[in-house]
Amino acid sequence: MRFPNKINRFNESVISKFSVVLSVLEQGEMTVLELYNTVNESTGDVGDFLEILDCLYALGQIEYNAETRLLHYVSRN
Amino acid sequence: MLVEIRCDEFISYGKKRPPIELHPGLNTVLGSETGSNSIGKSTFLMIVDFAFGGDDYVLKSTDVQTQVGAHIIQFAFEFNGERYFFSRETINHTFVYRCDADYNPMSEMKIDDFRNFLLEHYEIDLPLISFRGIVGRHFRIYGRENLDEKKPLHNAKQETDKAAITSLMKLFDKYASVDSLEKAYKKRKNEKDAYNKAQVFHFIPKINKRELMQNERRISELKAELAVIQEVSGDQIMGLDSEQAQVIADLKQKLTNAKRQRSRLTSQLRAIENDLQFDNPRLESNFQELLRFFPGTNLKRIEDIEQFHHQLATVLNSEFEEAKQRLASLISLAAEEIADLEQEIKSSGLTPKISRSILEDYSAKKGEIRILEKENEAYIKKEELKEIAKSMEDRLNALMEEQIGFLQSMINVKMDRINDYVYSGEKKPPVLTIKKPNSYTFLTPDDTGTGTSYKGLVVFDLSVMQLTVLPALVHDSVILKQIGDEPLEKIMELYNQSSKQVFIALDKKGSYPERTQILLEQSMVLHLTDDGNELFGRSWNTK
């Protein structure tokens, strides 16, 4: 998992991609594949993509509904 | 010749007129001493014309048709001692009835058949001309359109000079040789005109001489360029025409596209296969690191994160498996297409070594050459057609001029002779000048007087009658009364001497010199006056 440090520049890091994913999910819920197809140009391969989602989940920014199979953004209100 | 005309409507002083007997030479319809109008002189001449197959009696003498109503004209011709009796109805004038000697109709004939009967029995054997085409022009009766003394060849006002001249040539049998050449010329001209039209509508390319030269230069440039292509690509390309080269170029283009598609699909598949190999160990330390950037956040438990990860990875895995299969089948389709195209190119006999761009260039150049050559061929063909038509037209005009020259001198010599008789050699004759096949003048040099002009017209008709098969003449009083007494007397003599029939109308017998009076008296076939002795026994012009 790449974090910004001496070796990795910020925009190569996993953190720099958070906003890409969140800004898409802010618009509405999506399946994993839909989200991947929408953002994969910025996020890199599936491994990188899943890392970003794992992080956002760990931080409590997104949730996954196993029944509807939809990812959604956790609202702050 | 026409020997008799009768009609139940011809009335004199309340009684039916006896048949009007006609004879060779001069036949005179005499009017009154006071010169009364509208008593039927011209009408009778129109009826003579009707008996000779004309239609103007019905079409132009409309007052008669209105006042008298439908009626039947009965008439007889005599040829070689045999009489032929006919009747013709005004109401159904397109037919003539062949009759017995008592004018009982026996059979019906179409007017054209009747005209051909006259042609045959007058023993006229001229090609290309009808009976009416012969007599119609020389039956000059008030109400018809051939009274213009300056245009004696014309049958109608709107007729062109060319048509009038042509008709005269036919009567003099000077047209047959011209006709065959003219037909050939018209065929060529039509051919040329059709070609031009096709060019106007772009069915055939049209270029001018300057463009022809440009095309030729461009063709030699292109040929030089093709030679270079052949040099470069070896002999393989030779013998390919532009379409074949284009087909190959298209196949090659398709092949390129198919190959490009296949490699795109393959790389997608490879990417997915790579993607499916994800499953990095999720270290808790990794997530703890997040807190450095997002301090104070409640991180989820690592078990939850792993479950979350597992769920998403499972979903993606199955999705990617589908995509993988889809891609694999697309790739195999592309591979099939590639194999087909390669086979097709191979079977064209051209090895796929020559590049598509060379083939396309070759095809384009070949195609351009073909278009330019087509344009040039069209230009050359057009010029050829133009030249043929022109040379035939020149030959035709030369022949026309030659024939017209004969005709003109025959008529002018004859008119000179007749005019000398009429004026005892003291006055200039009328002169017919046919300047071109489509233009003529008729006049008496240095004398434009009315009487002279009408005398010229009469001299012209007499000349034509003497020179040709024209079987009869009709001159109405409107022409004759313009002519001076002395020339008229000589003209009367000429009419009278003619073996062919001449029909005239004239008034005021007493006002002419004695010799003329005697001739009029002798030749009179009908005498009309305005006191119940009009042609139909009455006049309809009084109030």
Side-chain angles (χ1 to χ4, degrees):
Chain A
M1 202 170 285
R2 278 185 284 189
F3 290 107
N5 54 28
K6 279 186 216 162
I7 305 159
N8 300 319
R9 283 182 293 149
F10 175 78
N11 55 6
E12 290 165 353
S13 72
V14 68
I15 294 170
S16 72
K17 309 290 167 35
F18 288 179
S19 63
V20 177
V21 173
L22 290 177
S23 66
V24 171
L25 282 180
E26 250 177 354
Q27 311 294 319
E29 297 172 318
M30 268 190 184
T31 66
V32 188
L33 190 69
E34 276 171 356
L35 181 64
Y36 175 69
N37 286 335
T38 312
V39 300
N40 79 339
E41 294 221 344
S42 335
T43 58
D45 65 24
V46 180
D48 293 343
F49 172 70
L50 281 180
E51 269 182 7
I52 297 161
L53 294 188
D54 288 348
C55 289
L56 287 171
Y57 178 75
L59 290 168
Q61 297 291 311
I62 59 173
E63 291 287 351
Y64 179 69
N65 183 333
E67 271 178 39
T68 59
R69 298 181 158 219
L70 292 172
L71 280 165
H72 61 95
Y73 177 63
V74 177
S75 172
R76 292 271 162 268
N77 314 330
Chain B
M1 68 168 190
L2 183 63
V3 290
E4 181 177 84
I5 293 182
R6 10 185 280 182
C7 174
D8 290 345
E9 300 293 334
F10 289 173
I11 305 289
S12 174
Y13 302 115
K15 285 187 191 157
K16 193 181 133 185
R17 284 183 189 274
I20 296 152
E21 302 292 337
L22 305 161
H23 42 71
L26 185 58
N27 293 269
T28 303
V29 180
L30 211 52
S32 68
E33 285 307 317
T34 54
S36 304
N37 295 319
S38 306
I39 54 175
K41 301 188 299 292
S42 297
T43 302
F44 183 73
L45 295 180
M46 277 292 203
I47 291 168
V48 169
D49 180 63
F50 193 60
F52 273 96
D55 294 328
D56 282 353
Y57 175 56
V58 174
L59 303 177
K60 302 251 165 85
S61 305
T62 46
D63 56 333
V64 178
Q65 309 314 323
T66 315
Q67 294 291 335
V68 180
H71 53 285
I72 300 169
I73 303 292
Q74 297 165 328
F75 52 93
F77 277 89
E78 189 177 299
F79 297 105
N80 296 325
E82 192 178 340
R83 286 206 173 197
Y84 300 85
F85 301 90
F86 299 96
S87 69
R88 192 176 175 197
E89 296 171 350
T90 56
I91 201 157
N92 185 17
H93 68 282
T94 55
F95 285 92
V96 173
Y97 296 95
R98 185 79 186 270
C99 302
D100 63 16
D102 296 322
Y103 288 100
N104 297 310
M106 299 189 303
S107 61
E108 189 184 82
M109 60 206 289
K110 283 184 189 154
I111 187 65
D112 282 336
D113 294 335
F114 171 69
R115 289 165 183 161
N116 288 336
F117 168 91
L118 292 179
L119 207 55
E120 195 181 314
H121 285 77
Y122 271 112
E123 294 173 0
I124 298 171
D125 183 21
L126 281 179
L128 313 168
I129 191 165
S130 67
F131 186 72
R132 291 302 304 173
I134 294 168
V135 298
R137 289 169 195 274
H138 302 278
F139 283 17
R140 303 189 195 269
I141 306 161
Y142 180 75
R144 302 192 76 222
E145 288 186 4
N146 57 355
L147 299 178
D148 187 344
E149 74 282 7
K150 293 189 182 71
K151 288 284 177 191
L153 274 53
H154 274 58
N155 196 29
K157 281 193 177 72
Q158 66 269 38
E159 189 174 44
T160 60
D161 279 16
K162 185 170 197 283
I165 292 166
T166 303
S167 184
L168 189 69
M169 289 176 78
K170 287 176 181 170
L171 177 59
F172 277 78
D173 200 11
K174 296 280 178 218
Y175 198 72
S177 56
V178 174
D179 184 62
S180 57
L181 190 57
E182 187 165 43
K183 280 190 182 130
Y185 163 68
K186 275 189 179 155
K187 190 166 166 270
R188 288 300 188 172
K189 189 171 177 294
N190 282 342
E191 210 174 9
K192 187 195 80 176
D193 292 347
Y195 203 83
N196 284 350
K197 273 230 168 93
Q199 288 193 320
V200 168
F201 290 108
H202 306 297
F203 298 140
I204 299 172
K206 183 179 185 180
I207 56 165
N208 57 33
K209 182 140 196 198
R210 193 172 51 79
E211 288 165 321
L212 175 85
M213 312 285 270
Q214 282 174 355
N215 283 357
E216 278 172 354
R217 276 199 298 278
R218 179 74 186 136
I219 288 168
S220 54
E221 274 171 27
L222 287 166
K223 283 189 172 164
E225 286 167 18
L226 281 183
V228 172
I229 293 178
Q230 279 165 6
E231 186 79 21
V232 170
S233 63
D235 285 345
Q236 286 171 347
I237 206 160
M238 268 170 60
L240 274 188
D241 64 20
S242 69
E243 270 119 9
Q244 288 169 320
Q246 187 59 52
V247 167
I248 306 275
D250 287 348
L251 285 174
K252 289 204 148 204
Q253 175 70 58
K254 280 186 190 161
L255 184 63
T256 308
N257 291 345
K259 281 182 170 168
R260 203 170 283 157
Q261 169 82 350
R262 185 178 61 178
S263 65
R264 198 164 49 80
L265 293 170
T266 309
S267 70
Q268 273 182 22
L269 184 64
R270 202 169 296 135
I272 285 172
E273 279 167 348
N274 283 339
D275 284 351
L276 284 172
Q277 284 160 11
F278 59 85
D279 205 21
N280 318 337
R282 304 273 173 263
L283 295 175
E284 191 171 359
S285 61
N286 267 335
F287 297 103
Q288 290 300 328
E289 181 89 5
L290 270 177
L291 290 176
R292 220 161 44 84
F293 299 93
F294 303 96
T297 311
N298 283 329
L299 275 188
K300 300 234 184 212
R301 288 189 311 129
I302 194 73
E303 292 82 20
D304 289 347
I305 298 170
E306 285 198 336
Q307 195 195 347
F308 172 82
H309 179 89
H310 181 70
Q311 280 176 326
L312 297 195
T314 311
V315 170
L316 278 178
N317 240 323
S318 68
E319 294 279 358
F320 282 160
E321 201 56 51
E322 274 176 36
K324 206 175 125 185
Q325 278 164 18
R326 210 167 46 240
L327 281 173
S329 69
L330 284 174
I331 287 165
S332 91
L333 276 179
E336 272 174 38
E337 195 187 347
I338 288 164
D340 287 350
L341 288 168
E342 277 172 348
Q343 180 55 40
E344 214 172 321
I345 291 168
K346 201 173 167 194
S347 66
S348 74
L350 195 77
T351 65
K353 279 177 196 155
I354 299 168
S355 79
R356 184 171 54 80
S357 68
I358 287 179
L359 277 169
E360 274 186 344
D361 195 23
Y362 180 83
S363 164
K365 286 189 165 69
K366 275 264 183 178
E368 192 180 346
I369 288 176
R370 211 187 48 195
I371 290 169
L372 294 173
E373 280 178 345
K374 275 234 159 94
E375 284 181 355
N376 287 4
E377 276 167 26
Y379 178 85
I380 290 161
K381 177 81 178 161
K382 191 187 87 176
E383 289 300 304
E384 198 181 284
L385 289 173
K386 209 161 94 182
E387 202 154 297
I388 292 172
K390 178 77 176 68
S391 92
M392 288 197 93
E393 191 181 13
D394 290 346
R395 267 170 61 204
L396 179 64
N397 284 341
L399 185 63
M400 276 283 259
E401 271 167 33
E402 186 185 290
Q403 298 298 315
I404 285 170
F406 283 135
L407 173 73
Q408 188 176 292
S409 71
M410 271 170 87
I411 293 174
N412 284 336
V413 166
K414 183 58 99 178
M415 288 200 297
D416 189 19
R417 198 168 300 160
I418 291 176
N419 199 68
D420 276 353
Y421 179 82
V422 171
Y423 286 116
S424 310
E426 285 170 10
K427 291 201 172 176
K428 288 181 185 169
V431 178
L432 173 68
T433 314
I434 304 176
K435 285 175 266 182
K436 286 184 282 182
N438 59 2
S439 167
Y440 77 93
T441 58
F442 183 78
L443 50 85
T444 304
D446 307 320
D447 190 347
T448 54
T450 317
T452 304
S453 299
Y454 279 100
K455 179 269 304 168
L457 181 64
V458 170
V459 168
F460 171 76
D461 280 348
L462 283 168
S463 303
V464 172
M465 188 165 73
Q466 289 186 15
L467 290 168
T468 70
V469 293
L470 176 65
L473 265 187
V474 179
H475 285 158
D476 201 350
S477 61
V478 69
I479 294 167
L480 299 175
K481 70 186 179 190
Q482 312 283 352
I483 301 170
D485 288 354
E486 281 181 39
L488 185 65
E489 185 175 308
K490 293 292 178 91
I491 286 169
M492 288 292 164
E493 285 174 11
L494 286 171
Y495 284 154
N496 202 42
Q497 288 160 17
S498 171
S499 57
K500 295 175 178 177
Q501 286 186 299
V502 178
F503 304 89
I504 65 164
L506 213 57
D507 285 316
K508 301 184 195 172
K509 183 186 68 164
S511 68
Y512 291 105
E514 195 185 344
R515 171 83 187 123
T516 307
Q517 287 193 32
I518 294 168
L519 280 173
L520 288 173
E521 189 70 40
Q522 285 173 349
S523 62
M524 186 181 78
V525 294
L526 182 63
H527 187 195
L528 302 172
T529 52
D530 61 355
D531 51 357
N533 185 34
E534 294 88 350
L535 180 61
F536 293 101
R538 63 200 166 93
S539 173
W540 38 80
N541 65 347
T542 47
K543 281 189 177 176

